[in-house]
Amino acid sequence: MRAAARRTVRDARLPSGPPLRPTRRAWQFDALVALVLGIATVYYGIDNVGIVVVREIAPGVEHVMERPSGPGGLAFMVTLAVIASGALALRRRYPLAVLCVVTAATLATPQSVLRLTFYAFVIAVYSAAVYSPYRVATLAALPVSVVLVGISGNSVTPIVPNQYIALLILVPMAVAAVGLRTWKLRTDEGRIRLSALEREQAEALRRAVEHERARIARELHDVVTHNVSVMVIQAGAARKIMKTSPEQAGEALLAVEAGGRAAMTELRHVMGLLTMADEGQGTNEGADLADTAAELAPQPGLDQLDTLVGRVRDTGLPVDLTVTGPPRPLSPGLELAAYRVVQEALTNTVKHASGATAAVTVEYGPDRLRVEVTDTGGRPGVGAATGSGRGLIGLRERLAVYDGTLNTGRRLTGGYRVEALIPLEAP
């Protein structure tokens, strides 16, 4: 019980959110409310000094209500009105403190002049309920304040003059109408901002996808260029030795045929990727490919995974490499895609899982290639920032060229897992 009580007291002192920072317009509005209510209540106090009110609370039963009189009574009522009304200028910034001050002023107000502070008390209760960040303390203070004000003094209900009845009906209706209109405008504005944010996110994702497609297309274009260059060399060699060494010329021509088939396959993948983008964007990408193809180096494949894993081990990350199934020759673009999956996954492990161990598995199946990279989990490295997700976007786009899929997520035993499944064409 004591521990629960201590937790309750501790929670009451902790804010559930940041304190409200009123805008300049909000400060001006609250100051205006405090000023208007202060003038009205001070005038009410001055106008009722020394007045004796006789109320008939039942047939033949009268109740005499004497209001404060003399200079002391006037000063007392003016002080209560100024304190209760003036505190409302801070009702958004310090709502709970304002509630306590106004409640104290209301309890000190004689029942015969309760209007001096009652309206300020209603506004203070509303402000505490809406603006206070100390939700536990507020939920405890509100009912206490209301009960104290309700049971203080005598139970005689003050009379509302007839000339104020229409005002008391119309003012809440006007406030409710203005509040409803403000809420509707803010809702519409929020909906517009949300739609704009969704469009911006969709546009950013589209640009990221187009950027990754262009980069992947450049790499695949380099693979095609490499194959065509080999074909040209083999064809030239076959032409020179065709008369003197027909057998070697035939072998060279077979190599040209194999290279041509590989180049056509890769070219088909490149064109399939480019047609997924907009027509105009594809044209621009084609121009970029023509300008940068000569600068691209030959792309790595699965035979270079040992080198990649060795470089990662040099950074201090233990990595195990396992290859299962009978290896078979694959197209250079497909091997490049599998290599990039391992490279991206190990890079993320180095950045975001310091102190972990990683495992790379390459499984050659009869109809698909499975590449999996797992780690045991760790802490983010020094200077590691939250990822933008573009790496995974690029991997998915790259695998989509070969109808492959990418599965990522956290492991039940801790750490992270990246798995790529790439269909293989029949040999």
Side-chain angles (χ1 to χ4, degrees), residues 189-270:
E189 292 175 358
R191 188 181 296 110
I192 292 173
R193 287 196 296 268
L194 180 60
S195 300
L197 181 60
E198 290 177 349
R199 287 195 298 269
E200 291 176 0
Q201 291 177 344
E203 179 65 20
L205 179 60
R206 185 187 64 81
R207 289 196 299 267
V209 170
E210 290 178 352
H211 174 78
E212 292 299 330
R213 286 178 179 174
R215 185 169 66 90
I216 296 167
R218 284 194 294 268
E219 293 180 352
L220 295 180
H221 182 273
D222 183 66
V223 172
V224 174
T225 304
H226 175 73
N227 287 332
V228 173
S229 299
V230 172
M231 291 168 57
V232 172
I233 294 173
Q234 294 284 359
R239 178 178 55 81
K240 292 181 180 179
I241 64 174
M242 184 175 294
K243 294 182 180 180
T244 59
S245 301
E247 293 181 358
Q248 294 182 2
E251 293 177 359
L253 292 176
L254 288 176
V256 170
E257 180 183 1
R261 293 182 184 276
M264 290 300 297
T265 301
E266 296 299 336
L267 184 60
R268 184 172 67 251
H269 291 319
V270 172

Side-chain angles (χ1 to χ4, degrees), residues 117-134:
T117 55
F118 182 76
Y119 302 122
F121 175 74
V122 173
I123 297 176
V125 169
Y126 166 80
S127 302
V130 174
Y131 301 118
S132 176
Y134 300 90

